[in-house]
Amino acid sequence: MSDPSLEDASSAVNELCWECGQTHMVLENHLYDYQDEVDDELVCHICLQPLLQPLDTPCGHTFCFKCLENFLQEQDFCPMDRKRLHFQHCRKSSLLVRNLLDKLMVFCPFRLDCEKVMQRGELDPHLQNRCLGLTKYRAKIENKRQSSLKTNQETATNDATVAAEGSAPAVVSLRTAEPGLVNPAFEEDREEDDLPRLSSLLAETTVVEIHRVDPQEELGIRIVGGKDTPLCNIVIQEILRDSIVARNGKLAPGDHITEVNGVNITSVPHSYAISVLRRPCSVSRLTVLQERGFAIRGSSQERSSSSSRHKQTVNVTLHKRDRGEPLGIKLIRKPDEPGVFILDLLAGGLAARDGKLRNNDKVLMINQQDLKNGTPEIAAQIIQSSEGNVNFTIQRCSDQQGSEIIDEAGSSNSSSPRHRSKSLQHQCRRRSHYQKDLSQTSLCLEKSIPVRKEPRESLGITISGGRENKYKVPIYVTSIQPVGCLYKDGRIKKGNVLLSINGVDLTQLSYNEAVSVLKLNTASSTVLLRVLEFPNIDMSSAAEEPPETSKENDYDWSPLWVMWLGLPSYLHCCNDITLHKSNSESWGFSIVGGFEESQDNQPFFIKTIVPGTPAYFDGRLKCGDEIVAVNGVSTAGMSNSAVIPMLKEQRNRVTLTVVSWPGSHV
């Protein structure tokens, strides 16, 4: 593949595949430049190229996964012998065949700058970590992007600005809010004429493919939303560490999933969307809407001068024990400012232990190499090639040094473990006094269940939850085993929340404390359990569930996110989250819900968190969090028009009291 010219770079960047280094459609196979002629036995007879993800048919032929899948969408027979064939009857080729294919020798696609020849299976890591040609290409693309972005910003009007990157992905403006949507992420009317103005919120539609060796393997994400909730859309709340989606690296919390393998889930109940996402398959094609931040009105010169007034330069040196030791830093680029920024410091990493680098620091230089207009990829390559000391020169806003932020950071990061434990315990046992709409509590049915049992007979249940849990959920039943007394009694169900046993309260206990209390109270011949049941949640899930969903292991079972929304307020654990910003910034989140005559009273939920904003960098707010108060003022019964001024009046600091429930696990 020849290196694209600078004039073609703007369009080529969106077409280039970063896994194979070639230009092809998203749904097409990767392309490779093979060194030698490939044996005909290893060639797919649909695309006439060496096999990729080979599948064997029952009639003894082998084709590429994508080739065969696309062919069988229109035909129902084998392309070779025309025998009847169904895609689900095909099986992955043997490990021997796959290894032979991965060992085929290929040229690096950037042959003008990189003359490496390697095995096909080694090309992806070569491109990601070692290819000088790709590094130069990305730098050229980034320079072109920055030049184009600068031109667009200087000529932009009050209308929505088209994103600089994009001709291939669909770019949409979210400036016009949908009914019921409050977007404190930007404000149209600003008193300060010299401040940069936010023109429109940009989002981009992308297709992401998740490949699974085991079709039953979990994606490893938590999901919130659905048409039966104020969020309406299906939104990623969290990506679990070391999951298949985390390894893929193309999805992020806050992404809106609109389609799964051709199934539209933009207007379906939560339980239906979860069932679609849980369907076992080798490849999950997710169409997602990803926030890209704001387009800015005003000249770049004005922005650069105003943004540099209150900034300081800091030098930080990190000591690597060996060349391969990671620093534990996540680097990003911002849509409205050139350069490389620190998004996050991974807990336990070298940078986090050192404590001198901070989130949102701008990286000016690494080891004396200028990165003022660099990219995260170039910065990562410099770090990886460094031995011993890694010297950072970073730029930091001076208002980050304010005592208020330092005190807050100190209380969460530098206090002793014992002090943190007490603080957490106090927070967990704090009960919310913010009342939800009474119609919501009708989902819960409180029951007192006396159970007679043999003295040595166990209850026969497994539980989960506990107030030390990340989301501070109450204790609930995950399974009922056929060996205990509760299975024979039949009144306790999976998903019931345990309130008390023999008068001992369980609602504020940790998991280990609850297990101990349950064991201590099972010695008697009679046990009195008080539980909460959610009958409507179970019925809606069953009614909307599509066919061919995977079966869950009872031991791994967890409730759907919508079940937690029905809990009465006395079981809520509220968290106070304080956000800080400058006058020129926006808070960076949008909310839905509130009192509307057409929809009655609904809670306020976080729907969107915009990249590059205070809410995004703070990291504690999540999509799907319920806002119960703003600066101590309850939002119960309030409308959108009442909450908007509350948020806009807070120029530099706002405290949100939120309740966060775990999203549905898929």
Side-chain angles (χ1 to χ4, degrees):
M1 170 188 147
S2 60
D3 196 16
S5 65
L6 190 59
E7 290 76 11
D8 298 333
S10 178
S11 60
V13 66
N14 287 316
E15 300 172 1
L16 192 70
C17 172
W18 300 115
E19 292 185 38
C20 68
Q22 303 278 8
T23 301
H24 62 81
M25 301 295 290
V26 173
L27 299 181
E28 293 179 350
N29 274 330
H30 295 306
L31 300 175
Y32 298 95
D33 189 1
Y34 294 92
Q35 182 184 38
D36 304 311
E37 187 175 347
V38 179
D39 191 288
D40 189 60
E41 296 295 327
L42 298 177
V43 170
C44 170
H45 290 277
I46 296 178
C47 66
L48 301 180
Q49 295 293 323
L51 291 158
L52 288 171
Q53 296 178 275
L55 286 181
D56 295 336
T57 67
C59 53
H61 300 104
T62 304
F63 304 96
C64 299
F65 178 95
K66 289 186 178 180
C67 294
L68 188 59
E69 183 183 41
N70 293 334
F71 181 85
L72 292 179
Q73 286 179 355
E74 300 180 0
Q75 308 294 341
D76 61 353
F77 52 82
C78 173
M80 294 295 289
D81 57 19
R82 304 184 68 85
K83 291 182 179 178
R84 295 276 295 186
L85 179 63
H86 296 284
F87 188 73
Q88 57 266 34
H89 295 159
C90 301
R91 294 291 178 263
K92 189 168 21 178
S93 297
S94 67
L95 181 61
L96 175 62
V97 173
R98 285 180 279 140
N99 287 341
L100 287 173
L101 289 164
D102 283 340
K103 290 181 178 180
L104 294 175
M105 303 303 293
V106 298
F107 292 104
C108 175
F110 296 89
R111 295 173 68 177
L112 292 179
D113 299 298
C114 180
E115 299 179 354
K116 296 285 186 182
V117 179
M118 69 215 75
Q119 295 181 2
R120 192 176 77 177
E122 297 176 352
L123 179 61
D124 186 18
H126 167 77
L127 292 176
Q128 300 304 321
N129 303 307
R130 299 183 292 274
C131 182
L132 296 177
L134 181 57
T135 301
K136 291 183 179 180
Y137 178 72
R138 281 176 167 164
K140 185 185 296 184
I141 293 299
E142 181 63 20
N143 292 336
K144 178 68 175 178
R145 191 186 75 87
Q146 293 295 342
S147 175
S148 177
L149 180 61
K150 182 178 179 180
T151 302
N152 286 344
Q153 289 174 347
E154 290 176 349
T155 59
T157 63
N158 292 345
D159 295 328
T161 304
V162 177
E165 289 99 311
S167 58
V171 180
V172 298
S173 170
L174 302 183
R175 182 175 180 178
T176 305
E178 58 194 80
L181 173 63
V182 180
N183 198 346
F186 67 95
E187 302 174 19
E188 286 294 326
D189 301 320
R190 291 184 179 268
E191 298 176 0
E192 302 87 344
D193 293 333
D194 58 336
L195 294 178
R197 300 193 176 187
L198 303 171
S199 171
S200 61
L201 179 58
L202 299 176
E204 190 173 271
T205 300
T206 308
V207 177
V208 176
E209 287 191 355
I210 308 296
H211 294 268
R212 292 182 274 197
V213 176
D214 179 6
Q216 299 283 350
E217 184 179 3
E218 294 176 341
L219 293 175
I221 56 179
R222 292 192 180 277
I223 298 297
V224 297
K227 79 169 185 180
D228 49 345
T229 73
L231 290 180
C232 297
N233 296 341
I234 300 299
V235 186
I236 298 177
Q237 179 197 55
E238 181 183 3
I239 296 177
L240 303 183
R241 190 173 182 178
D242 297 327
S243 66
I244 189 171
V245 169
R247 295 194 298 269
N248 179 271
K250 296 179 181 178
L251 295 176
D255 288 353
H256 292 218
I257 302 178
T258 60
E259 195 172 284
V260 181
N261 289 338
V263 179
N264 190 311
I265 58 172
T266 55
S267 183
V268 300
H270 180 85
S271 58
Y272 184 91
I274 297 304
S275 298
V276 172
L277 284 163
R278 285 176 176 171
R279 289 177 180 173
C281 57
S282 299
V283 180
S284 293
R285 291 190 185 89
L286 308 181
T287 303
V288 297
L289 187 69
Q290 298 180 318
E291 305 292 350
R292 296 303 189 196
F294 292 107
I296 307 296
R297 296 200 300 266
S299 70
S300 58
Q301 183 178 0
E302 291 175 353
R303 285 196 305 278
S304 61
S305 61
S306 63
S307 62
S308 61
R309 288 172 189 166
H310 304 290
K311 292 183 178 180
Q312 59 178 330
T313 302
V314 179
N315 294 313
V316 176
T317 300
L318 299 179
H319 305 279
K320 295 170 64 176
R321 288 172 293 185
D322 56 71
R323 184 171 181 175
E325 182 181 12
L327 301 185
I329 300 174
K330 290 185 179 179
L331 301 173
I332 61 166
R333 63 168 64 91
K334 290 186 177 182
D336 59 340
E337 187 175 353
V340 180
F341 294 82
I342 296 177
L343 170 64
D344 192 19
L345 304 177
L346 302 182
L350 181 59
R353 295 197 305 270
D354 180 79
K356 295 177 183 176
L357 293 176
R358 297 183 183 178
N359 294 353
N360 211 24
D361 283 350
K362 180 176 181 178
V363 181
L364 302 179
M365 289 192 296
I366 299 178
N367 291 346
Q368 303 304 313
Q369 297 192 45
D370 187 7
L371 289 171
K372 293 185 182 69
N373 294 294
T375 66
E377 293 81 9
I378 295 175
Q381 186 178 30
I382 297 172
I383 294 171
Q384 290 170 3
S385 61
S386 302
E387 297 183 6
N389 294 344
V390 183
N391 301 304
F392 287 83
T393 301
I394 58 102
Q395 190 178 66
R396 179 178 297 159
C397 294
S398 59
D399 57 7
Q400 290 183 15
Q401 301 291 338
S403 60
E404 198 166 29
I405 298 179
I406 292 175
D407 292 341
E408 186 178 354
S411 65
S412 61
N413 296 331
S414 59
S415 58
S416 67
R418 184 175 180 181
H419 177 76
R420 285 201 303 269
S421 176
K422 288 183 178 180
S423 174
L424 176 62
Q425 186 179 30
H426 173 75
Q427 184 185 43
C428 289
R429 294 181 182 276
R430 173 179 149 200
R431 296 187 180 185
S432 171
H433 61 275
Y434 305 106
Q435 296 298 317
K436 298 177 73 173
D437 182 22
L438 293 178
S439 64
Q440 293 184 345
T441 59
S442 62
L443 288 173
C444 305
L445 177 63
E446 185 174 322
K447 300 192 300 185
S448 293
I449 302 176
V451 180
R452 298 191 64 84
K453 57 183 286 296
E454 298 295 329
R456 293 180 177 272
E457 189 177 16
S458 68
L459 295 177
I461 58 173
T462 60
I463 62 171
S464 188
R467 294 306 191 180
E468 88 288 5
N469 180 282
K470 176 181 178 180
Y471 291 95
K472 305 177 181 63
V473 298
I475 299 295
Y476 62 92
V477 178
T478 60
S479 71
I480 303 168
Q481 305 301 313
V483 295
C485 62
L486 294 182
Y487 179 81
K488 292 183 289 186
D489 182 85
R491 288 178 288 175
I492 296 291
K493 296 180 175 60
K494 183 168 65 174
N496 285 174
V497 174
L498 299 181
L499 302 177
S500 68
I501 180 170
N502 291 341
V504 180
D505 182 42
L506 300 173
T507 60
Q508 300 299 328
L509 301 185
S510 68
Y511 173 81
N512 290 330
E513 291 170 340
V515 170
S516 299
V517 169
L518 289 171
K519 288 182 177 178
L520 287 173
N521 284 273
T522 55
S524 59
S525 58
T526 303
V527 174
L528 179 63
L529 287 168
R530 192 161 60 91
V531 303
L532 275 181
E533 192 177 70
F534 298 84
N536 293 340
I537 296 297
D538 290 337
M539 287 188 292
S540 65
S541 297
E544 296 287 353
E545 187 170 346
E548 299 181 9
T549 54
S550 59
K551 294 182 179 179
E552 287 187 286
N553 188 328
D554 281 343
Y555 293 98
D556 298 330
W557 183 87
S558 60
L560 296 181
W561 175 71
V562 288
M563 191 199 88
W564 298 119
L565 303 185
L567 281 183
S569 58
Y570 73 86
L571 289 176
H572 292 182
C573 275
C574 301
N575 298 316
D576 287 335
I577 296 177
T578 300
L579 301 177
H580 301 263
K581 73 176 183 68
S582 63
N583 288 338
S584 62
E585 291 183 301
S586 58
W587 292 119
F589 62 89
S590 65
I591 62 177
V592 290
F595 179 79
E596 302 290 342
E597 291 185 2
S598 59
Q599 298 179 345
D600 298 325
N601 191 19
Q602 294 181 324
F604 288 98
F605 289 95
I606 301 288
K607 181 172 184 177
T608 301
I609 297 177
V610 183
T613 61
Y616 178 83
F617 288 121
D618 180 83
R620 289 176 291 174
L621 277 181
K622 295 181 177 63
C623 294
D625 284 357
E626 180 181 340
I627 300 178
V628 295
V630 177
N631 286 345
V633 179
S634 171
T635 60
M638 296 181 68
S639 65
N640 284 325
S641 58
V643 173
I644 293 173
M646 291 176 64
L647 291 165
K648 287 189 175 182
E649 285 169 3
Q650 316 307 317
R651 285 294 179 185
N652 302 108
R653 171 176 173 153
V654 67
T655 299
L656 303 176
T657 304
V658 303
V659 178
S660 186
W661 301 117
S664 301
H665 186 192
V666 298

